[in-house]
Amino acid sequence: MSDHVSTSGPVPRTATEATTVDNNTVPTRKPSRVKRFLPLAVLAAAIATAFSLGLHEHLSIEALREHRAALNGFVADNAVLAGLAFVSLYALATALSLPGGVVLTIAGGFLFGVTTGAVYVVVAATLGATAIFLIARSALGSALRDRAGPFLKRMEAGFQENALSYLLVLRLIPLFPFFIVNLVPAFLGVPLRTYVLGTFFGIIPGTLVFVLAGAGLGSVFDQGGSFSVGSVLTPEIIAGLVGLSLLSLLPVVYKRVKARRAGA
């Protein structure tokens, strides 16, 4: 008989192998609080610095009037660079929630015309809004949802079910502060793709209104007339924007009617 004994089953691991396998199966850790809150801390510091330096005070119609020749000359000689600078400035101002976004939108039409100015504004505003959305969602969104009561959870569920329609309403009606609309979806768990689409398309009508006003600003300056931002939002314009927002709610109404009929 042979002295060799056949064994079945896994070969025992050596201490080194066991250690290697165990190390490879260590569960991934969640991002630390420092990493989570660092972008928010940087953003808060930047906002405080911008306001302390009074940067928002330079975003005015009078500043456009005063520096009109220099700005128009720079755009004429450096079209691409001027466009990049404008988009960067607008996105930064949006991310920092600086007042003066309407003035910058008017400046887009004033400096680049209706079509190009509208494209620059919509792209820049979407970029800036998305940046602050991502920072707020990563730093505060999950924490707030974990501590949310029943009311907020129901609100979150309802908002997520019709997120795109509700976002369009919030973006279309110019009565809601832009920075508030940037933050609320982050706390309600709105997907990034939905947020970007709702922001991009939702701000187009309002952007066109102010860009058109900006395109005619040069003639106002030539005549020595005065111009106020409030004069742009006439009752007719507001009624039109509200009408568009109501149209964006049609999918929500359709879903509810369909659900009631199905339950009947």
Side-chain angles (χ1 to χ4, degrees), residues 144-260:
L144 287 178
R145 287 196 299 274
D146 292 341
R147 294 169 173 78
F151 172 77
L152 186 58
K153 288 187 179 298
R154 287 196 299 271
M155 181 179 176
E156 178 184 353
F159 198 94
Q160 288 183 2
E161 184 180 356
N162 305 285
L164 184 58
S165 295
Y166 290 151
L167 267 174
L168 289 174
V169 171
L170 294 174
R171 292 301 189 190
L172 284 168
I173 301 179
L175 302 178
F176 300 108
F178 197 73
F179 75 95
I180 294 294
V181 183
N182 292 340
L183 294 175
V184 171
F187 303 147
L188 297 178
V190 174
L192 176 61
R193 181 174 180 273
T194 302
Y195 179 84
V196 172
L197 289 176
T199 299
F200 184 89
F201 290 104
I203 64 177
I204 288 177
T207 295
L208 288 174
V209 169
F210 288 105
V211 166
L212 282 167
L217 191 58
S219 61
V220 175
F221 290 162
D222 292 337
Q223 297 171 8
S226 60
F227 178 89
S228 65
V229 173
S231 65
V232 178
L233 288 178
T234 63
E236 293 78 12
I237 293 295
I238 294 177
L241 294 176
V242 171
L244 287 175
S245 68
L246 292 177
L247 286 177
S248 67
L249 285 176
L250 286 179
V252 179
V253 176
Y254 173 76
K255 286 182 180 179
R256 292 186 176 180
V257 172
K258 185 177 179 181
R260 287 182 179 179

